[in-house]
Amino acid sequence: MSAPRFLIRFAALFLFFPASTPQLSASAVKPPQNIIIEGRRAPSEAAVSATSIRYSPFLVPEGVTRITVKRSYDHGPDPKQRNTVDLGLFDPRGYRYGGPGFRGWQGGHPGDLVLTGHADTSAPWYLPGPIPAGRWHLAQWYIRPTPSGLGYRYTVTFDFDGPKPPRRMRAVPPYRPGVLNPKPGWYAGNLHTHTIHSDGGRTLAEVVARNRAAGFDFMASTDHNTPRAHYELAGAARAHPDHLLLAGVEFTSPFGHANLIGMHPGHWFDFRIDGGDGRLPGIIRESHRQGAIFILNHPFAGCTTCSWRYPAEEWQEADAIEVWNGAWTPDDRQALNLWDDLLRSGRRIHALGGTDYHRGEDPLLPVVWVHADRLSQPAIMEGLRQGRAFLSESPKGPELYLTANEGKTLPGDTLLVNRGRGSVPVEVRVRGGKGLTLRLIGPDLDRQIRVEGDEITIREAITGDAARPRSYLRAELLREDGRMAALTNPIYLQIR
Protein backbone atom coordinates (compact mmCIF):
# COMPACT_ATOMS: atom_id res chain seq x y z
CA MET A 1 0.00 0.00 0.00
CA SER A 2 1.42 3.35 -0.97
CA ALA A 3 1.04 6.35 1.29
CA PRO A 4 -1.10 9.25 0.00
CA ARG A 5 0.81 11.96 -1.84
CA PHE A 6 0.17 15.65 -1.30
CA LEU A 7 0.92 18.01 -4.19
CA ILE A 8 0.39 21.73 -3.86
CA ARG A 9 -0.35 23.52 -7.11
CA PHE A 10 -0.49 27.29 -7.15
CA ALA A 11 -2.45 28.64 -10.11
CA ALA A 12 -0.98 31.76 -11.74
CA LEU A 13 -3.34 34.56 -12.63
CA PHE A 14 -2.32 37.39 -15.01
CA LEU A 15 -4.45 40.51 -15.39
CA PHE A 16 -3.94 43.09 -18.17
CA PHE A 17 -5.30 46.60 -17.91
CA PRO A 18 -5.36 49.55 -20.36
CA ALA A 19 -2.76 52.20 -19.57
CA SER A 20 -5.46 54.61 -18.38
CA THR A 21 -6.86 52.10 -15.80
CA PRO A 22 -5.39 52.24 -12.29
CA GLN A 23 -3.47 49.09 -11.40
CA LEU A 24 -4.82 46.92 -8.56
CA SER A 25 -2.31 45.96 -5.90
CA ALA A 26 -1.07 42.39 -5.95
CA SER A 27 -2.61 41.79 -2.53
CA ALA A 28 -6.09 42.52 -3.92
CA VAL A 29 -5.98 39.54 -6.23
CA LYS A 30 -5.21 36.12 -4.81
CA PRO A 31 -5.59 33.18 -7.18
CA PRO A 32 -7.05 29.81 -6.13
CA GLN A 33 -4.70 27.17 -4.80
CA ASN A 34 -4.99 23.41 -5.32
CA ILE A 35 -3.85 20.45 -3.28
CA ILE A 36 -3.98 16.88 -4.57
CA ILE A 37 -4.46 14.00 -2.14
CA GLU A 38 -4.14 10.60 -3.78
CA GLY A 39 -3.30 7.02 -3.00
CA ARG A 40 -4.50 3.42 -3.08
CA ARG A 41 -6.10 1.12 -0.58
CA ALA A 42 -6.01 -2.65 -0.75
CA PRO A 43 -9.24 -4.68 -0.56
CA SER A 44 -8.11 -6.02 2.81
CA GLU A 45 -8.33 -2.49 4.27
CA ALA A 46 -12.08 -2.22 3.68
CA ALA A 47 -14.28 -3.10 6.64
CA VAL A 48 -17.70 -2.37 8.11
CA SER A 49 -15.82 -0.95 11.07
CA ALA A 50 -14.57 2.40 12.32
CA THR A 51 -11.05 1.00 12.05
CA SER A 52 -11.18 1.40 8.25
CA ILE A 53 -11.53 5.21 8.41
CA ARG A 54 -8.39 6.98 7.11
CA TYR A 55 -7.67 10.62 7.95
CA SER A 56 -5.73 12.53 5.28
CA PRO A 57 -4.30 15.86 6.47
CA PHE A 58 -4.06 19.00 4.38
CA LEU A 59 -2.95 22.53 5.25
CA VAL A 60 -5.34 25.43 4.79
CA PRO A 61 -3.60 28.81 4.25
CA GLU A 62 -4.70 32.14 5.71
CA GLY A 63 -7.57 34.01 4.13
CA VAL A 64 -9.49 31.08 2.59
CA THR A 65 -13.18 31.79 2.02
CA ARG A 66 -14.15 28.51 0.36
CA ILE A 67 -12.88 24.92 0.41
CA THR A 68 -13.96 22.64 -2.45
CA VAL A 69 -13.11 18.95 -2.70
CA LYS A 70 -13.69 17.03 -5.92
CA ARG A 71 -13.07 13.30 -5.96
CA SER A 72 -12.11 10.65 -8.46
CA TYR A 73 -12.11 6.91 -7.70
CA ASP A 74 -10.53 4.01 -9.57
CA HIS A 75 -12.69 0.97 -8.84
CA GLY A 76 -10.92 -1.46 -11.15
CA PRO A 77 -11.55 -2.84 -14.65
CA ASP A 78 -15.06 -4.22 -14.05
CA PRO A 79 -17.56 -1.35 -14.56
CA LYS A 80 -20.22 -3.29 -12.66
CA GLN A 81 -18.19 -3.30 -9.44
CA ARG A 82 -17.82 -0.26 -7.20
CA ASN A 83 -16.10 0.32 -3.90
CA THR A 84 -18.23 1.74 -1.10
CA VAL A 85 -16.57 4.88 0.27
CA ASP A 86 -17.86 7.59 2.63
CA LEU A 87 -16.40 11.08 3.05
CA GLY A 88 -16.31 13.57 5.91
CA LEU A 89 -14.37 16.63 7.10
CA PHE A 90 -12.68 17.76 10.33
CA ASP A 91 -11.19 21.20 11.02
CA PRO A 92 -7.99 22.06 12.97
CA ARG A 93 -9.65 21.27 16.31
CA GLY A 94 -8.95 17.66 15.41
CA TYR A 95 -10.64 14.38 14.59
CA ARG A 96 -10.24 12.64 17.94
CA TYR A 97 -13.26 10.66 19.11
CA GLY A 98 -15.89 12.93 20.59
CA GLY A 99 -13.85 16.05 19.81
CA PRO A 100 -15.11 19.41 18.50
CA GLY A 101 -13.51 19.33 15.04
CA PHE A 102 -16.42 17.74 13.12
CA ARG A 103 -17.54 19.86 10.14
CA GLY A 104 -19.69 17.41 8.20
CA TRP A 105 -20.32 13.96 6.80
CA GLN A 106 -21.81 13.32 3.37
CA GLY A 107 -21.43 9.57 3.38
CA GLY A 108 -21.33 8.20 -0.14
CA HIS A 109 -23.20 11.11 -1.73
CA PRO A 110 -21.43 11.93 -5.04
CA GLY A 111 -21.70 15.72 -4.73
CA ASP A 112 -18.66 17.93 -4.22
CA LEU A 113 -17.59 18.84 -0.72
CA VAL A 114 -18.02 22.64 -0.52
CA LEU A 115 -17.50 24.56 2.71
CA THR A 116 -17.84 28.32 3.16
CA GLY A 117 -18.77 30.52 6.05
CA HIS A 118 -22.41 30.60 5.00
CA ALA A 119 -25.18 28.01 4.68
CA ASP A 120 -26.47 29.10 1.26
CA THR A 121 -23.09 28.52 -0.42
CA SER A 122 -21.95 25.39 1.48
CA ALA A 123 -22.80 21.82 0.52
CA PRO A 124 -25.84 20.73 2.55
CA TRP A 125 -23.94 18.07 4.53
CA TYR A 126 -21.40 20.45 6.09
CA LEU A 127 -21.52 22.97 8.93
CA PRO A 128 -20.68 26.45 7.61
CA GLY A 129 -18.56 28.72 9.77
CA PRO A 130 -14.95 29.74 10.33
CA ILE A 131 -12.27 28.48 7.95
CA PRO A 132 -9.15 28.85 10.08
CA ALA A 133 -5.68 28.28 8.72
CA GLY A 134 -4.10 25.06 9.89
CA ARG A 135 -4.23 21.30 9.54
CA TRP A 136 -7.59 19.93 8.40
CA HIS A 137 -8.44 16.28 7.67
CA LEU A 138 -10.49 14.47 5.07
CA ALA A 139 -12.05 11.36 6.60
CA GLN A 140 -12.36 8.45 4.17
CA TRP A 141 -14.37 5.44 5.37
CA TYR A 142 -13.57 2.49 3.10
CA ILE A 143 -16.49 0.13 3.73
CA ARG A 144 -16.77 -2.43 0.94
CA PRO A 145 -14.08 -3.24 -1.67
CA THR A 146 -13.85 -4.40 -5.23
CA PRO A 147 -11.28 -7.14 -6.05
CA SER A 148 -8.96 -4.42 -7.37
CA GLY A 149 -9.14 -2.25 -4.30
CA LEU A 150 -9.55 1.52 -4.31
CA GLY A 151 -7.54 4.16 -6.11
CA TYR A 152 -8.51 7.66 -5.01
CA ARG A 153 -7.70 11.25 -5.91
CA TYR A 154 -9.09 14.27 -4.10
CA THR A 155 -8.55 17.73 -5.57
CA VAL A 156 -8.81 20.31 -2.79
CA THR A 157 -9.25 23.91 -3.99
CA PHE A 158 -8.88 26.99 -1.80
CA ASP A 159 -10.61 30.20 -2.94
CA PHE A 160 -10.06 33.64 -1.46
CA ASP A 161 -12.62 35.78 -3.30
CA GLY A 162 -15.87 35.03 -1.48
CA PRO A 163 -17.51 36.59 1.56
CA LYS A 164 -15.34 36.44 4.65
CA PRO A 165 -16.27 33.53 6.97
CA PRO A 166 -17.40 34.36 10.51
CA ARG A 167 -14.97 34.06 13.40
CA ARG A 168 -17.20 31.66 15.38
CA MET A 169 -19.49 28.77 14.57
CA ARG A 170 -23.05 29.93 14.08
CA ALA A 171 -25.51 28.92 16.78
CA VAL A 172 -28.62 27.00 15.77
CA PRO A 173 -31.43 29.55 15.30
CA PRO A 174 -33.84 29.15 18.23
CA TYR A 175 -37.01 27.19 17.58
CA ARG A 176 -39.48 27.57 20.43
CA PRO A 177 -42.84 26.35 19.18
CA GLY A 178 -44.60 26.41 22.55
CA VAL A 179 -48.01 24.72 22.72
CA LEU A 180 -49.54 24.14 19.29
CA ASN A 181 -52.68 22.44 20.61
CA PRO A 182 -53.69 22.62 24.29
CA LYS A 183 -55.95 19.56 24.20
CA PRO A 184 -54.86 16.16 25.58
CA GLY A 185 -55.18 13.31 23.12
CA TRP A 186 -53.50 11.17 20.48
CA TYR A 187 -51.18 12.95 18.06
CA ALA A 188 -49.84 11.48 14.80
CA GLY A 189 -46.09 11.64 14.27
CA ASN A 190 -43.33 10.61 11.88
CA LEU A 191 -40.15 9.68 13.75
CA HIS A 192 -37.83 8.90 10.82
CA THR A 193 -37.19 11.33 7.95
CA HIS A 194 -34.30 12.38 5.71
CA THR A 195 -33.62 15.56 3.76
CA ILE A 196 -30.97 16.97 1.43
CA HIS A 197 -28.77 17.31 4.50
CA SER A 198 -27.97 13.57 4.30
CA ASP A 199 -29.25 11.25 1.57
CA GLY A 200 -32.75 12.62 1.08
CA GLY A 201 -34.08 14.39 -1.97
CA ARG A 202 -36.07 17.29 -0.47
CA THR A 203 -35.38 20.24 1.78
CA LEU A 204 -36.56 20.12 5.37
CA ALA A 205 -39.30 22.63 4.59
CA GLU A 206 -40.54 20.44 1.72
CA VAL A 207 -40.55 17.32 3.90
CA VAL A 208 -42.49 19.17 6.60
CA ALA A 209 -45.05 20.29 4.02
CA ARG A 210 -45.50 16.74 2.75
CA ASN A 211 -45.94 15.31 6.25
CA ARG A 212 -48.43 17.98 7.21
CA ALA A 213 -50.45 17.39 4.02
CA ALA A 214 -50.54 13.65 4.84
CA GLY A 215 -52.11 14.37 8.23
CA PHE A 216 -49.17 14.20 10.63
CA ASP A 217 -49.16 16.52 13.66
CA PHE A 218 -45.42 16.33 14.34
CA MET A 219 -42.21 15.16 12.73
CA ALA A 220 -38.65 14.38 13.81
CA SER A 221 -35.69 15.41 11.65
CA THR A 222 -33.28 12.43 11.58
CA ASP A 223 -30.57 12.93 8.97
CA HIS A 224 -27.56 10.61 9.00
CA ASN A 225 -24.68 11.61 11.30
CA THR A 226 -25.05 15.38 11.00
CA PRO A 227 -27.11 18.05 12.79
CA ARG A 228 -27.03 20.37 9.77
CA ALA A 229 -30.83 20.20 9.30
CA HIS A 230 -31.32 21.60 12.81
CA TYR A 231 -30.25 24.99 11.47
CA GLU A 232 -33.35 24.93 9.26
CA LEU A 233 -35.93 23.95 11.92
CA ALA A 234 -37.06 27.49 12.75
CA GLY A 235 -37.30 28.48 9.10
CA ALA A 236 -39.23 25.36 8.10
CA ALA A 237 -41.64 25.87 11.00
CA ARG A 238 -42.52 29.42 9.97
CA ALA A 239 -44.36 28.14 6.90
CA HIS A 240 -46.25 25.53 8.95
CA PRO A 241 -46.58 26.88 12.49
CA ASP A 242 -49.19 24.25 13.44
CA HIS A 243 -46.80 21.34 12.71
CA LEU A 244 -44.44 20.42 15.57
CA LEU A 245 -40.80 19.60 14.84
CA LEU A 246 -38.33 17.59 16.93
CA ALA A 247 -34.55 17.71 16.58
CA GLY A 248 -33.02 14.31 15.96
CA VAL A 249 -30.31 12.41 14.12
CA GLU A 250 -29.91 8.93 12.70
CA PHE A 251 -26.80 7.67 14.43
CA THR A 252 -25.39 5.66 11.50
CA SER A 253 -22.52 3.58 12.84
CA PRO A 254 -20.67 0.53 11.52
CA PHE A 255 -22.64 -1.79 13.82
CA GLY A 256 -26.11 -0.38 13.27
CA HIS A 257 -28.38 2.65 13.13
CA ALA A 258 -30.37 4.39 15.85
CA ASN A 259 -32.60 7.45 16.01
CA LEU A 260 -31.85 9.92 18.78
CA ILE A 261 -34.93 12.13 19.07
CA GLY A 262 -35.38 15.18 21.27
CA MET A 263 -31.65 16.02 21.43
CA HIS A 264 -30.08 19.43 21.82
CA PRO A 265 -30.21 21.05 18.36
CA GLY A 266 -26.77 21.25 16.76
CA HIS A 267 -25.12 18.54 18.87
CA TRP A 268 -23.04 15.94 17.03
CA PHE A 269 -23.01 12.34 18.26
CA ASP A 270 -19.79 10.67 17.16
CA PHE A 271 -20.78 7.54 15.23
CA ARG A 272 -17.25 6.15 14.82
CA ILE A 273 -17.68 3.22 17.18
CA ASP A 274 -17.76 -0.56 16.90
CA GLY A 275 -19.53 -3.22 18.89
CA GLY A 276 -17.51 -4.27 21.91
CA ASP A 277 -15.43 -1.09 22.19
CA GLY A 278 -17.54 0.13 25.12
CA ARG A 279 -18.55 3.49 23.63
CA LEU A 280 -22.22 2.88 22.83
CA PRO A 281 -23.44 3.12 26.46
CA GLY A 282 -21.89 6.60 26.61
CA ILE A 283 -23.86 7.64 23.51
CA ILE A 284 -27.10 6.43 25.11
CA ARG A 285 -26.31 8.15 28.41
CA GLU A 286 -25.54 11.43 26.64
CA SER A 287 -28.78 11.23 24.66
CA HIS A 288 -30.70 10.79 27.92
CA ARG A 289 -28.82 13.67 29.54
CA GLN A 290 -30.09 15.86 26.71
CA GLY A 291 -33.65 14.62 27.19
CA ALA A 292 -33.66 12.49 24.03
CA ILE A 293 -34.78 8.92 23.50
CA PHE A 294 -32.61 6.24 21.86
CA ILE A 295 -34.34 3.98 19.31
CA LEU A 296 -32.70 0.95 17.62
CA ASN A 297 -33.56 1.35 13.94
CA HIS A 298 -34.54 -1.45 11.53
CA PRO A 299 -32.35 -4.01 13.40
CA PHE A 300 -32.64 -6.71 10.69
CA ALA A 301 -32.45 -4.58 7.54
CA GLY A 302 -30.06 -5.95 4.93
CA CYS A 303 -28.32 -2.77 3.77
CA THR A 304 -24.68 -2.01 4.62
CA THR A 305 -24.29 -1.09 8.33
CA CYS A 306 -28.10 -1.22 8.81
CA SER A 307 -28.47 -4.41 10.87
CA TRP A 308 -27.98 -4.06 14.63
CA ARG A 309 -24.86 -5.96 15.73
CA TYR A 310 -24.00 -4.45 19.09
CA PRO A 311 -23.75 -6.85 22.07
CA ALA A 312 -26.93 -6.83 24.15
CA GLU A 313 -25.12 -5.60 27.25
CA GLU A 314 -24.15 -2.39 25.43
CA TRP A 315 -27.73 -1.25 24.78
CA GLN A 316 -29.44 -2.15 28.04
CA GLU A 317 -30.53 1.47 28.47
CA ALA A 318 -32.01 1.89 24.98
CA ASP A 319 -35.58 3.21 25.06
CA ALA A 320 -37.19 1.59 22.04
CA ILE A 321 -36.91 -0.59 18.95
CA GLU A 322 -38.09 0.53 15.53
CA VAL A 323 -40.26 -2.51 14.83
CA TRP A 324 -41.87 -0.98 11.74
CA ASN A 325 -39.80 0.86 9.12
CA GLY A 326 -41.63 2.04 6.01
CA ALA A 327 -43.74 -0.57 4.22
CA TRP A 328 -44.14 -3.74 6.31
CA THR A 329 -41.59 -6.41 5.32
CA PRO A 330 -40.25 -9.67 6.82
CA ASP A 331 -37.40 -7.85 8.56
CA ASP A 332 -40.02 -5.80 10.44
CA ARG A 333 -41.53 -9.06 11.68
CA GLN A 334 -38.06 -10.09 12.87
CA ALA A 335 -37.76 -6.81 14.74
CA LEU A 336 -41.18 -7.37 16.29
CA ASN A 337 -40.14 -10.87 17.39
CA LEU A 338 -36.99 -9.44 19.00
CA TRP A 339 -39.12 -6.93 20.88
CA ASP A 340 -41.53 -9.66 22.01
CA ASP A 341 -38.62 -11.78 23.28
CA LEU A 342 -37.38 -8.85 25.33
CA LEU A 343 -40.85 -8.27 26.78
CA ARG A 344 -41.10 -11.93 27.78
CA SER A 345 -37.73 -11.69 29.49
CA GLY A 346 -39.08 -8.89 31.67
CA ARG A 347 -37.50 -5.94 29.92
CA ARG A 348 -39.60 -2.84 29.41
CA ILE A 349 -38.65 -1.39 26.05
CA HIS A 350 -41.01 0.40 23.70
CA ALA A 351 -42.04 -0.38 20.12
CA LEU A 352 -41.86 2.59 17.75
CA GLY A 353 -41.66 3.08 13.99
CA GLY A 354 -41.03 5.60 11.26
CA THR A 355 -41.44 6.14 7.55
CA ASP A 356 -37.70 6.44 6.83
CA TYR A 357 -38.75 8.90 4.13
CA HIS A 358 -36.01 9.84 1.65
CA ARG A 359 -37.30 11.24 -1.62
CA GLY A 360 -40.03 11.59 -4.21
CA GLU A 361 -43.23 9.73 -3.54
CA ASP A 362 -41.81 7.28 -1.00
CA PRO A 363 -44.84 6.22 1.10
CA LEU A 364 -45.37 7.91 4.44
CA LEU A 365 -46.05 4.88 6.64
CA PRO A 366 -46.27 3.98 9.43
CA VAL A 367 -47.50 6.67 11.79
CA VAL A 368 -46.71 6.75 15.53
CA TRP A 369 -49.73 7.84 17.54
CA VAL A 370 -48.57 9.36 20.84
CA HIS A 371 -50.82 10.22 23.74
CA ALA A 372 -49.80 13.58 25.15
CA ASP A 373 -51.28 16.22 27.44
CA ARG A 374 -50.90 18.76 24.63
CA LEU A 375 -49.14 19.19 21.32
CA SER A 376 -45.78 20.55 22.47
CA GLN A 377 -42.21 19.31 22.43
CA PRO A 378 -42.10 18.43 26.18
CA ALA A 379 -45.48 16.68 26.11
CA ILE A 380 -44.75 14.62 22.97
CA MET A 381 -41.33 13.64 24.30
CA GLU A 382 -42.85 12.56 27.62
CA GLY A 383 -45.42 10.42 25.79
CA LEU A 384 -42.65 8.77 23.74
CA ARG A 385 -40.50 8.29 26.83
CA GLN A 386 -43.37 6.53 28.62
CA GLY A 387 -44.29 4.37 25.61
CA ARG A 388 -47.80 5.79 25.39
CA ALA A 389 -48.01 5.02 21.70
CA PHE A 390 -49.44 2.78 19.04
CA LEU A 391 -48.46 2.38 15.38
CA SER A 392 -50.69 2.21 12.33
CA GLU A 393 -50.46 2.42 8.57
CA SER A 394 -51.32 6.11 8.23
CA PRO A 395 -52.87 9.11 9.99
CA LYS A 396 -56.11 7.99 8.34
CA GLY A 397 -56.07 4.70 10.24
CA PRO A 398 -56.76 2.09 11.19
CA GLU A 399 -56.70 3.12 14.86
CA LEU A 400 -56.09 0.76 17.77
CA TYR A 401 -56.62 1.92 21.34
CA LEU A 402 -55.62 -0.24 24.32
CA THR A 403 -56.70 1.16 27.70
CA ALA A 404 -57.73 0.08 31.20
CA ASN A 405 -59.36 1.68 34.24
CA GLU A 406 -61.84 3.60 32.09
CA GLY A 407 -59.11 5.02 29.90
CA LYS A 408 -56.83 6.11 32.75
CA THR A 409 -54.26 3.35 32.05
CA LEU A 410 -52.56 3.60 28.66
CA PRO A 411 -49.89 1.61 26.79
CA GLY A 412 -46.60 1.90 28.65
CA ASP A 413 -48.38 2.15 32.01
CA THR A 414 -48.50 -0.48 34.75
CA LEU A 415 -51.86 -1.96 35.73
CA LEU A 416 -52.10 -3.14 39.36
CA VAL A 417 -54.17 -6.31 39.84
CA ASN A 418 -55.26 -7.76 43.17
CA ARG A 419 -53.86 -11.20 43.84
CA GLY A 420 -56.38 -14.00 43.40
CA ARG A 421 -59.57 -11.96 43.61
CA GLY A 422 -61.44 -9.47 41.56
CA SER A 423 -60.54 -8.32 38.08
CA VAL A 424 -59.66 -5.21 36.13
CA PRO A 425 -61.30 -4.60 32.73
CA VAL A 426 -59.02 -3.92 29.78
CA GLU A 427 -60.57 -2.36 26.68
CA VAL A 428 -59.43 -2.59 23.06
CA ARG A 429 -61.14 -0.24 20.62
CA VAL A 430 -60.66 -0.59 16.85
CA ARG A 431 -61.62 2.11 14.36
CA GLY A 432 -61.42 1.64 10.59
CA GLY A 433 -60.41 -2.00 10.91
CA LYS A 434 -63.28 -3.86 9.24
CA GLY A 435 -62.07 -7.17 7.76
CA LEU A 436 -58.85 -7.23 9.78
CA THR A 437 -57.85 -9.64 12.53
CA LEU A 438 -57.34 -8.35 16.05
CA ARG A 439 -54.75 -10.18 18.17
CA LEU A 440 -54.48 -9.84 21.94
CA ILE A 441 -51.00 -10.94 22.94
CA GLY A 442 -49.27 -11.69 26.24
CA PRO A 443 -46.83 -14.26 27.61
CA ASP A 444 -49.67 -16.79 27.97
CA LEU A 445 -52.22 -15.29 25.60
CA ASP A 446 -52.75 -15.17 21.86
CA ARG A 447 -56.40 -14.50 21.16
CA GLN A 448 -57.57 -13.69 17.62
CA ILE A 449 -60.81 -11.91 16.81
CA ARG A 450 -62.25 -11.08 13.40
CA VAL A 451 -63.16 -7.39 13.13
CA GLU A 452 -66.62 -7.28 11.56
CA GLY A 453 -67.40 -3.58 11.82
CA ASP A 454 -65.79 -0.22 11.23
CA GLU A 455 -65.67 0.35 14.97
CA ILE A 456 -65.67 -2.34 17.65
CA THR A 457 -64.72 -2.57 21.32
CA ILE A 458 -63.38 -5.72 22.96
CA ARG A 459 -63.23 -6.04 26.75
CA GLU A 460 -60.91 -8.44 28.55
CA ALA A 461 -61.08 -9.01 32.31
CA ILE A 462 -57.63 -9.32 33.89
CA THR A 463 -57.54 -11.20 37.19
CA GLY A 464 -54.80 -11.73 39.72
CA ASP A 465 -54.43 -15.32 38.53
CA ALA A 466 -53.68 -14.11 34.98
CA ALA A 467 -51.24 -11.42 36.05
CA ARG A 468 -47.98 -13.07 36.96
CA PRO A 469 -44.48 -11.57 37.05
CA ARG A 470 -43.34 -10.25 33.64
CA SER A 471 -46.93 -10.11 32.40
CA TYR A 472 -48.16 -7.66 29.82
CA LEU A 473 -50.96 -7.28 27.30
CA ARG A 474 -50.63 -5.75 23.84
CA ALA A 475 -52.67 -5.76 20.63
CA GLU A 476 -52.16 -6.04 16.87
CA LEU A 477 -54.29 -5.61 13.76
CA LEU A 478 -53.33 -7.90 10.87
CA ARG A 479 -54.32 -8.12 7.22
CA GLU A 480 -55.14 -11.47 5.62
CA ASP A 481 -51.66 -11.76 4.12
CA GLY A 482 -50.04 -11.24 7.54
CA ARG A 483 -49.03 -7.62 6.98
CA MET A 484 -49.30 -5.37 9.99
CA ALA A 485 -52.04 -2.73 10.01
CA ALA A 486 -51.60 -1.47 13.58
CA LEU A 487 -49.99 -2.47 16.89
CA THR A 488 -49.86 -1.11 20.41
CA ASN A 489 -47.28 -0.92 23.11
CA PRO A 490 -48.14 -3.11 26.10
CA ILE A 491 -49.92 -2.41 29.31
CA TYR A 492 -47.80 -4.06 32.00
CA LEU A 493 -49.51 -6.12 34.69
CA GLN A 494 -48.36 -6.18 38.29
CA ILE A 495 -49.88 -8.13 41.18
CA ARG A 496 -50.39 -6.21 44.42
Side-chain angles (χ1 to χ4, degrees), residues 227-251:
R228 171 66 190 274
H230 299 172
Y231 291 80
E232 315 302 327
L233 289 173
R238 280 195 291 270
H240 304 287
D242 58 345
H243 191 86
L244 185 72
L245 301 180
L246 301 173
V249 69
E250 185 165 14
F251 174 81

Side-chain angles (χ1 to χ4, degrees), residues 149-180:
L150 172 69
Y152 61 90
R153 179 184 176 92
Y154 299 105
T155 302
V156 185
T157 301
F158 305 126
D159 288 292
F160 303 86
D161 59 349
K164 187 176 180 179
R167 297 180 62 184
R168 295 180 179 87
M169 292 297 294
R170 183 168 67 103
V172 175
Y175 168 58
R176 302 184 183 96
V179 177
L180 304 190

Side-chain angles (χ1 to χ4, degrees), residues 63-368:
V64 171
T65 61
R66 181 171 57 252
I67 299 173
T68 304
V69 181
K70 296 181 179 292
R71 77 190 97 171
S72 175
Y73 293 141
D74 176 9
H75 301 279
D78 188 345
K80 296 181 180 180
Q81 295 184 322
R82 289 289 183 269
N83 295 282
T84 301
V85 188
D86 280 8
L87 186 67
L89 182 68
F90 292 82
D91 68 21
R93 293 173 293 175
Y95 60 84
R96 70 183 185 278
Y97 178 79
F102 175 80
R103 295 300 293 270
W105 194 266
Q106 69 186 84
H109 196 286
D112 292 341
L113 187 166
V114 180
L115 181 71
T116 72
H118 307 280
D120 57 351
T121 51
S122 293
W125 319 287
Y126 294 93
L127 303 180
I131 304 181
R135 186 179 297 273
W136 292 57
H137 289 85
L138 282 178
Q140 180 197 79
W141 185 11
Y142 189 21
I143 304 173
R144 292 193 182 277
T146 66
S148 301
L150 172 69
Y152 61 90
R153 179 184 176 92
Y154 299 105
T155 302
V156 185
T157 301
F158 305 126
D159 288 292
F160 303 86
D161 59 349
K164 187 176 180 179
R167 297 180 62 184
R168 295 180 179 87
M169 292 297 294
R170 183 168 67 103
V172 175
Y175 168 58
R176 302 184 183 96
V179 177
L180 304 190
N181 188 329
K183 297 180 180 179
W186 294 91
Y187 291 100
N190 185 354
L191 297 182
H192 196 159
T193 63
H194 295 281
T195 72
I196 60 171
H197 298 298
S198 60
D199 58 347
R202 297 189 181 196
T203 66
L204 178 64
E206 290 169 339
V207 175
V208 171
R210 190 163 190 265
N211 276 262
R212 183 180 178 277
F216 289 88
D217 300 303
F218 69 92
M219 187 195 91
S221 166
T222 58
D223 278 308
H224 296 283
N225 288 340
T226 177
R228 171 66 190 274
H230 299 172
Y231 291 80
E232 315 302 327
L233 289 173
R238 280 195 291 270
H240 304 287
D242 58 345
H243 191 86
L244 185 72
L245 301 180
L246 301 173
V249 69
E250 185 165 14
F251 174 81
T252 307
S253 78
F255 275 59
H257 299 187
N259 273 345
L260 284 62
I261 294 174
M263 59 185 283
H264 291 172
H267 183 83
W268 179 58
F269 285 90
D270 198 332
F271 65 94
R272 297 170 296 170
I273 66 176
D274 290 334
D277 66 13
R279 287 173 167 168
L280 183 64
I283 296 290
I284 299 175
R285 286 193 298 269
E286 176 58 25
S287 69
H288 289 164
R289 191 189 70 78
Q290 295 187 17
I293 59 172
F294 186 97
I295 309 168
L296 277 65
N297 283 354
H298 44 62
F300 296 97
C303 47
T304 302
T305 79
C306 290
S307 60
W308 190 256
R309 299 187 293 140
Y310 286 96
E313 61 270 16
E314 293 194 345
W315 50 278
Q316 287 296 312
E317 300 303 316
D319 299 284
I321 297 175
E322 187 185 61
V323 301
W324 191 347
N325 175 278
W328 184 263
T329 58
D331 57 274
D332 293 315
R333 173 56 68 181
Q334 286 182 278
L336 190 70
N337 292 342
L338 169 64
W339 176 57
D340 242 348
D341 289 342
L342 292 171
L343 293 179
R344 291 192 186 95
S345 74
R347 182 164 173 189
R348 296 194 176 192
I349 186 168
H350 310 318
L352 293 173
T355 68
D356 206 354
Y357 173 80
H358 278 78
R359 61 189 61 83
E361 299 306 311
D362 289 356
L364 291 178
L365 73 156
V367 57
V368 178

Side-chain angles (χ1 to χ4, degrees), residues 2-5 37-41 54 150-153:
S2 61
R5 300 190 297 276
I37 301 174
E38 58 185 1
R40 292 203 66 87
R41 301 190 70 177
R54 169 182 284 179
L150 172 69
Y152 61 90
R153 179 184 176 92

Side-chain angles (χ1 to χ4, degrees), residues 7 32 43 51 53 69 90 102 242 389 428 433 444 446 496:
L7 308 175
T51 60
I53 300 177
V69 181
F90 292 82
F102 175 80
D242 58 345
V428 183
D444 302 312
D446 190 346
R496 62 182 174 184

